[in-house]
Amino acid sequence: MMRSASVFVKCLAGLAAAVSLMVVYPVEAVPYFEVGDAGTTADTANYVFWDTDTIFGAIHVNDGADVYGFEWAGGFFMANTHGSNFDTMLSLFDESGGLLLFNDDFGSKFSQLSSELDPGNYFLGVTYYSNNWEGDMTSYWTHGSEGSYQIQKTVSMPIPQDLPQEGDPANVPEPASFALVAIGLAGILLQRRRKYLPKVPTA
């Protein structure tokens, strides 16, 4: 009986851990729709969440390019503009705005970038041919043409945060953590109960 209770407690602990991971790291990626004008600099860029797999936006006559910031936990990165209705140019910039990757045509009017990236913050810039040949974020022309674009990108888990420091009041346990602690205490109480149960005499 007590062995069954112990197995049950272990199953509950595993289930709680799985649920907490699903809450923190959702399984399904989500699309992102440009908010207002994404801008052409790091300061005016739209920022997308780590689980964004598709960005939908548009450029206009007075809006020659759009820039999107994102966090990357490290590993293989790829982005393309398949589904856009104009001749795109796609660039990847580091956190300071320096050009890392650039592509004009990937077998057609669409663009594609791929590379191994270190953990950090990056920017994707999308524009039309032949804007920004200089390769700098500040070189984007402010004028353009009408067109809508899609940017498909790979998804990266979030960058792990620093470990909590002792005495830091900001590090308050989440509900999932409380659930795991409660399950652990239940297991301890069951073990203590098993220890002090009277032994049944055998025939």
Side-chain angles (χ1 to χ4, degrees), residues 153-192:
K153 59 178 282 294
T154 46
V155 172
S156 168
M157 300 297 273
I159 296 176
Q161 300 299 312
D162 294 335
L163 293 175
Q165 300 298 316
E166 186 176 353
D168 185 357
N171 294 301
V172 179
E174 296 180 0
S177 301
F178 284 117
L180 291 176
V181 171
I183 291 171
L185 289 174
I188 293 172
L189 292 174
L190 285 173
Q191 290 295 331
R192 289 172 63 94

Side-chain angles (χ1 to χ4, degrees), residues 53-55 68 79-81 90 124 126 149-153:
D53 65 344
T54 307
I55 301 170
Y68 295 90
N80 65 62
T81 58
L90 195 60
L124 269 174
V126 59
Y149 57 80
Q150 297 180 29
I151 303 175
Q152 286 79 34
K153 59 178 282 294

